[in-house]
Amino acid sequence: MNKSRICVALMLVLALVAFASVGMAQEYSATAKGFGGDVTVTLDIEDGAIVAASAVGESETDGIGSKAIEQMPAAMAEQNSVTVDTVSSATITSNAVLEAAAAALAEAGLAPEDLESREAAPEEIVEPDFENPDVIIVGAGSTGMNAAIAAAEAGAKVYLIEKNDDVGGSIRFAGGTTSAAGAQMQIDAGVEDSPENFAEDIVRMGGGTNVPELTKKHTENAAAAVDWLDSLGADFGDRQPKMSASYDAFNVPREYRVTGGGKAIVELIRPLLDEQVEAGNVSLMLNTEVDDIIIEDGAVKGVVLTDGREFRAPATVLTTGGYGHNEELLHKYNYENVLTMAPSFVTGDGYIFAEKAGAQFSNMDYLPAYPGGMPVGGFDVTDTAVVKDYAGVIWVDVNGGRVVNEYDALDSERKAAYANAPHNLIYMILTQEIRDTQDSIISGDENWARFDELLAEENCVYKADTLEELAEKIGVDAEGLVATVESYNADVEAGEDTAFGRAPESMMKLEGPFYAVKTCPYVMLTKGGPLMNTDAQVLDTEGNPIPGLYEGGELAGGANIGGSANIGGLANTSTIVWGKIAGESAAAYALSAK
């Protein structure tokens, strides 16, 4: 073959390659920090449009964050947009998907406004399976599921309405701890206990702010709830009752931990709910949101959906969860500065409905938020500081004074420190020596990388050569801070913490350069709620039952049952105890009206 033919052949090949490349999609990927680890989004861009999208986040929570990983890229391709709706139960993962997608789009040389977006397909309206329900239950978390099953077993026709795309609610984010006095596992282990002993423990630990009749009802029914889970096949591991691992201790071992956490509890209950749905006793309506309740002649008669439809029934049960992702309510009732780890769908809907119905509220001022949240940006907590067993560091408030035994205080004492601190702000003071000799004070931070990143931005992490300079940077009283450190250093030399009795071996003399980490509380569960009686009827401000209105679960207020303390396993067990009581009571009320 001569040279001219070779040249012609080569030109034809290049032309074919160039032709084939026209219109071919190119892949662009970027990564952002999710809830459990990195989330990577890949966009396939062709002619300035998204033709396909995918995401990977192996450390995101299965069944929660994984939904954002699965659903959001599909929406991006469908809508040709990187600003699609987030998944309500997975805020942090959703935000990571959005951030990574925007970065991938930028890699392609495009901005979000360069894309010609397409409208999302309209959401399908979910119709009920039958008309004229006896009971309407708002919220299909564990409490709502149990209420629906109990009401159906009592002979009622039930609408179970859930604004998310699946059942389970907040318990899917929880551990699997339950608690009860007299559960079969406790009896088998030879531990002597009783409901009365459990109730006395609650009063001791909770300071007597509990409602005695609710505590009595709960403690009398908790063992049956745990035994019921056991009968469903829950995996309780070694089946030995435990003392609390995270909260203040009971006087006897009384906790039983379900392997697989709250998700496993939902999976045990779901088949029972499905049976009632298949039998035509329960109509489960997912992706359906309640906007209001119907009140006529002082009685609750049903609900109004966000699409304007009205569903009426003699009895309505509110099992909507807490208000941990409602910043306005958290500021109103609890904290000036606060972050959240609650799912984004936990917005306090039931509180708003109950208030409209004239409910009496109890223990709303009590909310034992977790210590050590770092307000680096946004309402959802992304970074937390180590708050236990961290040598050397001291905690000060805006006045510069120490607030607690920083090393080995009780969980309740740490939470109280944040609740009582001015503006709910606590600054952790550490030194260069601590920085050089210990693991990072930010949880999960390898080699102080996140610490240094935030320090460079002066975002919740600050450094100064002197205490006076540090105080100015963080807005803390300089005289107070200097006096506190001088007193603390003197205690270090003397080998005794005169302020809080901290173990001398956990104390280190504080000498510059100094660092400060800004922290505030962050919430998961909320603890106050509308007051109810032992039949789960919501009470008005005069203490009378509001006709047709019932409640259970987090909405009803863990503090009303367990007082001003974190009682291990109370929340999970309450979803069973009070879900069943609410369902049975609502069914009895509705059927008696026929």
Side-chain angles (χ1 to χ4, degrees), residues 354-365:
E355 184 176 35
K356 178 181 178 180
Q360 178 182 167
F361 287 81
S362 176
N363 278 309
M364 292 299 291
D365 60 340

Side-chain angles (χ1 to χ4, degrees), residues 133-276:
D134 301 304
V135 176
I136 294 173
I137 300 172
V138 186
S142 178
T143 308
M145 294 168 71
N146 282 302
I149 294 165
E153 290 177 344
K157 292 289 189 178
V158 180
Y159 282 2
L160 178 57
I161 303 174
E162 171 57 51
K163 65 182 178 182
N164 291 312
D165 63 359
D166 201 358
V167 300
S170 296
I171 199 172
R172 294 174 297 168
F173 297 82
T177 301
T178 61
S179 59
Q184 190 60 49
M185 285 180 284
Q186 192 183 41
I187 294 171
D188 293 344
V191 177
E192 293 187 8
D193 201 4
S194 68
E196 293 76 18
N197 185 37
F198 191 0
E200 290 172 4
D201 232 3
I202 284 174
V203 173
R204 172 184 65 83
M205 298 165 71
T209 60
N210 59 296
V211 180
E213 57 268 30
L214 298 182
T215 303
K216 183 175 185 292
K217 186 81 168 186
H218 179 87
T219 56
E220 289 175 347
N221 286 272
V226 172
D227 289 345
W228 179 70
L229 274 183
D230 198 10
S231 72
L232 295 179
D235 180 2
F236 284 101
D238 62 10
R239 302 182 62 78
Q240 294 298 304
K242 306 287 194 304
M243 300 295 278
S244 179
S246 302
Y247 304 134
D248 298 351
F250 292 128
N251 57 18
V252 296
R254 196 182 285 131
E255 287 187 2
Y256 321 89
R257 298 169 191 164
V258 178
T259 302
K263 278 187 62 183
I265 293 175
V266 172
E267 290 166 3
L268 289 168
I269 299 170
R270 181 65 189 261
L272 303 181
L273 177 63
D274 290 342
E275 286 179 12
Q276 295 297 337

Side-chain angles (χ1 to χ4, degrees), residues 384-386 390 393 428 430 439-443 445 448 451 517:
T384 61
V386 178
Y390 195 87
V393 69
M428 300 181 178
L430 56 154
D439 290 337
S440 177
I441 197 170
I442 298 178
S443 300
D445 180 22
W448 296 80
F451 183 93
V517 178

Side-chain angles (χ1 to χ4, degrees), residues 337-463:
N337 286 284
V338 65
L339 302 173
T340 189
M341 191 176 273
S344 57
F345 56 80
V346 184
T347 51
D349 303 348
Y351 296 80
I352 297 167
F353 301 153
E355 184 176 35
K356 178 181 178 180
Q360 178 182 167
F361 287 81
S362 176
N363 278 309
M364 292 299 291
D365 60 340
Y366 175 68
L367 201 174
Y370 294 93
M374 296 174 61
V376 298
F379 182 40
D380 291 278
V381 63
T382 57
D383 297 273
T384 61
V386 178
V387 297
K388 186 174 176 61
D389 299 335
Y390 195 87
V393 69
I394 64 170
W395 297 7
V396 302
D397 60 19
V398 295
N399 297 315
R402 288 176 66 202
V403 294
V404 75
N405 177 338
E406 301 89 351
Y407 191 75
D408 54 7
L410 295 174
D411 172 76
S412 58
E413 292 171 334
R414 297 176 195 279
K415 290 172 178 175
Y418 278 86
N420 297 326
H423 313 296
N424 310 117
L425 292 175
I426 287 177
Y427 295 85
M428 300 181 178
I429 308 299
L430 56 154
T431 64
Q432 189 66 44
E433 180 184 3
I434 295 172
R435 166 71 176 76
D436 293 340
T437 59
Q438 296 184 196
D439 290 337
S440 177
I441 197 170
I442 298 178
S443 300
D445 180 22
E446 294 186 10
N447 300 317
W448 296 80
R450 179 62 171 162
F451 183 93
D452 290 338
E453 177 186 351
L454 294 173
L455 175 63
E457 301 171 0
E458 289 203 326
N459 183 0
C460 290
V461 180
Y462 308 88
K463 181 180 181 181

Side-chain angles (χ1 to χ4, degrees), residues 525-536:
L525 296 175
T526 50
K527 288 288 188 174
L531 195 60
M532 64 181 179
N533 62 19
T534 54
D535 290 327

